[in-house]
Amino acid sequence: MARYIFITGGVVSSLGKGLASAALGALLQARGFSVRLRKLDPYLNVDPGTMSPFEHGEVFVTDDGAETDLDLGHYERFTGVHARNTDSVSSGRIYSTVLEKERRGDYLGKTIQVVPHVTNEIKDFLHIGDDEVDFMLCEIGGTVGDIEGLPFFEAIRQFSHDKPRGQCIFMHLTLLPYLAASGELKTKPTQHSVKELQSIGIAPDVLVCRSEHPIPDRELEKIALFCNVRKNCVVPAYDLKSIYEAPLAYHEQGLDQAVLDAFDISPAPMPKLDVWHDVYDRIHNPEGNVKIAIVGKYTQLEDAYKSIAEALTHGGMANRVKVKIEWVDAEVFDKGDAAPYLQGFHAILVPGGFGERGTEGKIKAAQYARENKVPYLGICLGMQMAVVEAARNVAGMKDAGSEEFDHEAGKKRFEPVVYHLKEWVQGNHAVTRSTGDDKGGTMRLGAYDATLVDGSKVAEVYGTTHIEERHRHRYEVDTKYREKLEECGLTFSGMSPDGKLPEIVEWKDHPWFIGVQFHPELKSKPFAPHPLFEGFVKAAVENSRLV
Ligand code: GLN
C-alpha cells in the first residue's frame, strides 16, 4: 500500500506547492521509489475545461482525455509519470458525484452531509490505485482557511486517521515575509497558518518555508519550536533562477531526507541525481540564444501557455541554447501588416486557442513565416490557421476559413477548410457528438495515434512513422481540400490511422514549417525534450546564423 504525502499551503497562494510536490516526486524517484502525484482542487467547476485561460492558466490534458489543472503538467515534467483522469479532482466533481448518487437513491434515504458523504467521496478518490506505487503525493489546491477547501482538509485528516500510524504525512508550505525596515524575516504568519491547520486536526510533519532571504538558523529553530515540527523538517525554499533547479535545491535543503525521516524510512537509499545535474548544466551554460515569437491571444497571462513555454525551454536545453520567448498579441496586426511585429525573430510559434478573435493575425503570422522562410510551428489552432492561410493565399480560395468562426458569428461567411467534427474513431470505437452538446467535454480529447508519411520532415523529426499525441479540439482540417492543397505544396504528412483526420501539415519548400493538430508541448520533459520542440529550436538556431 502506498505511503501518502499530503501537501497543503498557507499564508498566501502561489507559493509553488505544485512545483515543490513535483520536485519531491522527482527526488523520491531518484531514491528508487515509484510515485504518483494528484491534485485536489477546491473550486466548484467540475473540471478546468471550461475555465478561461486568462483566469486559470492552461488546461492540461492527460492521455486518457481528462482536462486538468496545469499543476499536473509540472508533475509530469518532473517525474515523467503520465497523469490520469483519476489524478485530478475538484469540489465540483465530488459534489456532482454525491448528488448523482443521491438522485439514484444510493444513500437509501439518508440525509446527505459534507461529513461523511462528501468526505467519503474524497477518501474513495484518494484510494484509487494505492497499491500501484510507493508514494502517493496529494496536493490540496488553495490555502488553509479557504471555505471551499474545508471538506478536503477534513477528508485528509480522516484518511490519515483511518490508516496505520506512519502511513501518511503532511507537508505544509508557507511564506516568511521580509520586513525591509527592520531587516527581519517574520515567522508569525507561518505560526498562524500552522495553528489554523492544527485547529482542523492536522499537525504538519514537514514545513517548507519560502523566503526571498536566507533564513537564519535561530529562525528555523523558532519555527520548529512554535509550530511543533522537528528542526530538520523545517526546510527553507529560496527563489530559483529556473524551476528545473528545484529538485537539486530541495535536496540540498534536505526536503527528501526530512520526508523519509518523517516516515521513519531508514536507512534511506542514496539518491541518483545525474539527470538533474545534467538539466542544471544545460539551463545554466547555454552556448547561444534564439528569439522566438509566440503569436497568441492569451498573451497577458503566461500561464495560459505554460507547457509551450516549458517545451521551448526543453528544446533550448537539447540544443544548448537559451530560448528567449516574446509574447506577441495576434490582434495587434489583425488588420495591418505583420512584418514590423515579426521581423527579427528566429522562429514563430502559433499556439492553440478558441474563438475568432486574433485569428486574422495568426493567419498573417503563418503567411509571414511561409513567405520569409522563418521556422514555424503551428499547434492546434495554429495548424488550422496555417491551412486557412495556404487555402486563401496559395490555393486561391479567397473565402477559406474555419466553421468555428461561422458558428460563433451565427452566419455563414467562410468556405470551411476547417470544419466541425461530429464523428470519429478512437482506437476501435466510434465516437459521435451532436452540435448542441454542452460546452464542457465535447472535444476530441486525449491520446490518439497518427501515421506519418515516410520521408516527410516530420517523420525525420520524430525518427519514426508512428506516433501518439494528445488532443483537445472540436474542429478538424477537412480532407476534401487535401488534393488541392497538396498540389500547392502543403503536404498532409500525418494522418489518423484510418486516414480520415489530418494530424500534421508541412510546407514542402520551406526549411521548417510544421502544423500539428495535437499538443506536443504536453509531453515534453526537461530530461526528454519533445522531438518537435527540439527540431523547431534547432531550425531557429540555424535561421539565427543566416540573419
Ligand atoms: N478552436 C480550435 C478547435 O476547437 C482549436 C483548439 C485548440 O487550439 N486547442 O478545433
Side-chain angles (χ1 to χ4, degrees):
M1 207 197 328
R3 291 180 167 94
Y4 280 77
I5 304 169
F6 293 108
I7 297 119
T8 59
V11 184
V12 292
S13 57
S14 307
L15 280 180
K17 277 193 309 256
L19 184 57
S21 309
L24 176 59
L27 289 174
L28 291 169
Q29 283 181 320
R31 292 191 185 251
F33 297 107
S34 59
V35 300
R36 180 161 285 284
L37 286 101
R38 290 212 161 131
K39 179 86 194 275
L40 293 87
D41 271 310
Y43 50 72
L44 284 168
N45 305 62
V46 173
D47 62 41
T50 49
M51 287 162 102
S52 160
F54 285 124
E55 206 163 301
H56 197 71
E58 141 190 301
V59 173
F60 190 81
V61 182
T62 59
D63 279 336
D64 58 4
E67 297 179 277
T68 69
D69 190 89
L70 54 77
D71 272 324
L72 271 79
H74 281 315
Y75 302 165
E76 281 202 16
R77 282 188 283 274
F78 280 80
T79 63
V81 176
H82 284 187
R84 299 179 192 150
N85 186 12
T86 46
D87 291 329
S88 158
V89 81
S90 64
S91 292
R93 181 169 306 281
I94 295 285
Y95 277 100
S96 69
T97 314
V98 169
L99 293 177
E100 262 166 43
K101 286 186 175 173
E102 189 272 337
R103 291 290 84 188
R104 271 204 314 261
D106 291 6
Y107 299 117
L108 305 173
K110 287 232 170 346
T111 307
I112 312 304
Q113 296 180 294
V114 172
V115 181
H117 300 97
V118 171
T119 47
N120 280 351
E121 201 58 46
I122 299 172
K123 289 198 284 179
D124 288 350
F125 168 81
L126 291 171
H127 272 120
I128 299 169
D130 65 354
D131 52 353
E132 291 175 18
V133 287
D134 299 320
F135 286 97
M136 193 78 87
L137 286 76
C138 305
E139 177 191 346
I140 315 291
T143 309
V144 59
D146 294 348
I147 292 179
E148 296 96 335
L150 272 174
F152 287 105
F153 284 91
E154 170 59 13
I156 59 175
R157 181 196 69 75
Q158 290 177 20
F159 188 92
S160 83
H161 199 71
D162 297 344
K163 294 278 174 205
R165 215 178 265 283
Q167 195 79 30
C168 303
I169 68 161
F170 296 95
M171 172 170 134
H172 189 57
L173 261 86
T174 71
L175 173 74
L176 301 192
Y178 180 75
L179 286 193
S182 57
E184 276 179 308
L185 280 172
K186 305 307 285 182
T187 65
K188 193 67 86 190
T190 296
Q191 295 176 41
H192 277 299
S193 99
V194 170
K195 278 217 173 73
E196 181 91 38
L197 261 187
Q198 286 167 339
S199 74
I200 45 183
I202 294 173
D205 299 280
V206 177
L207 273 183
V208 174
C209 302
R210 288 292 309 269
S211 168
E212 286 175 4
H213 295 267
I215 310 173
D217 213 43
R218 59 166 197 283
E219 296 301 326
L220 294 173
E221 263 162 28
K222 185 169 158 190
I223 295 168
L225 181 68
F226 281 76
C227 297
N228 200 28
V229 175
R230 284 167 205 277
K231 164 93 188 303
N232 73 314
C233 290
V234 183
V235 179
Y238 302 121
D239 295 348
L240 302 170
K241 256 174 76 185
S242 153
I243 56 170
Y244 298 117
E245 290 172 35
L248 292 181
Y250 272 123
H251 175 67
E252 241 161 67
Q253 298 297 345
L255 177 65
D256 43 335
Q257 191 59 54
V259 165
L260 295 172
D261 287 349
F263 279 113
D264 243 340
I265 296 176
S266 160
M270 288 304 288
K272 288 198 190 70
L273 294 166
D274 321 1
V275 172
W276 294 106
H277 283 297
D278 181 50
V279 165
Y280 185 96
D281 182 52
R282 286 172 184 274
I283 287 266
H284 287 274
N285 302 307
E287 286 159 11
N289 52 60
V290 288
K291 232 168 78 175
I292 295 183
I294 299 186
V295 182
K297 180 165 76 166
Y298 315 111
T299 45
Q300 299 97 314
L301 181 69
E302 289 186 15
D303 268 0
Y305 301 116
K306 187 77 195 150
S307 294
I308 291 184
E310 295 307 324
L312 282 173
T313 303
H314 306 161
M317 288 158 70
N319 289 283
R320 286 206 166 265
V321 290
K322 179 167 173 47
V323 176
K324 291 190 175 157
I325 298 172
E326 268 183 48
W327 308 89
V328 179
D329 184 352
E331 260 184 289
V332 174
F333 44 83
D334 242 359
K335 296 202 171 65
D337 184 11
Y341 299 92
L342 298 177
Q343 262 154 9
F345 287 107
H346 303 130
I348 295 169
L349 188 152
V350 176
F354 292 85
E356 188 172 4
R357 201 158 58 75
T359 50
E360 289 302 322
K362 291 179 182 181
I363 292 168
K364 284 196 186 136
Q367 182 179 8
Y368 176 88
R370 174 178 58 79
E371 290 176 347
N372 295 286
K373 304 250 183 266
V374 179
Y376 177 92
L377 177 57
I379 295 178
C380 210
L381 188 64
M383 175 245 203
Q384 297 173 354
M385 293 308 101
V387 173
V388 170
E389 193 279 317
R392 281 190 195 171
N393 302 327
V394 188
M397 297 166 63
K398 291 278 164 278
D399 298 324
S402 168
E403 211 178 342
E404 177 174 9
F405 314 143
D406 280 347
H407 279 157
E408 204 177 51
K411 56 176 187 264
K412 183 158 168 40
R413 296 168 300 160
F414 293 121
E415 181 163 359
V417 291
V418 179
Y419 74 116
H420 192 227
L421 175 77
K422 300 186 189 71
E423 235 179 61
W424 65 91
V425 174
Q426 181 166 38
N428 298 322
H429 311 281
V431 186
T432 38
R433 166 189 60 209
S434 69
T435 334
D437 281 346
D438 285 356
K439 269 271 189 278
T442 57
M443 285 187 267
R444 183 147 86 98
L445 281 168
Y448 284 83
D449 294 336
T451 309
L452 312 185
V453 172
D454 222 352
S456 62
K457 180 83 166 178
V458 79
E460 177 197 317
V461 166
Y462 272 96
T464 173
T465 52
H466 180 86
I467 58 164
E468 188 196 80
E469 294 281 5
R470 295 182 196 166
H471 290 247
R472 181 174 185 254
H473 55 106
R474 290 191 180 85
Y475 298 84
E476 302 282 341
V477 171
D478 198 334
T479 44
K480 211 160 61 185
Y481 304 98
R482 178 172 181 174
E483 226 182 283
K484 195 164 177 173
L485 290 167
E486 290 205 321
E487 272 168 20
C488 299
L490 187 73
T491 315
F492 284 44
S493 53
M495 298 292 290
S496 57
D498 63 5
K500 291 198 176 135
L501 304 173
E503 292 280 6
I504 304 168
V505 295
E506 61 185 64
W507 278 111
K508 244 200 229 139
D509 300 318
H510 191 286
W512 211 101
F513 191 115
I514 294 177
V516 294
Q517 186 57 79
F518 45 81
H519 290 275
E521 71 275 18
L522 301 179
K523 286 180 50 171
S524 189
K525 324 258 179 334
F527 45 83
H530 191 287
L532 275 173
F533 283 88
E534 182 173 347
F536 179 56
V537 175
K538 185 165 174 236
V541 173
E542 277 157 18
N543 188 33
S544 75
R545 295 201 180 111
L546 299 177
V547 285

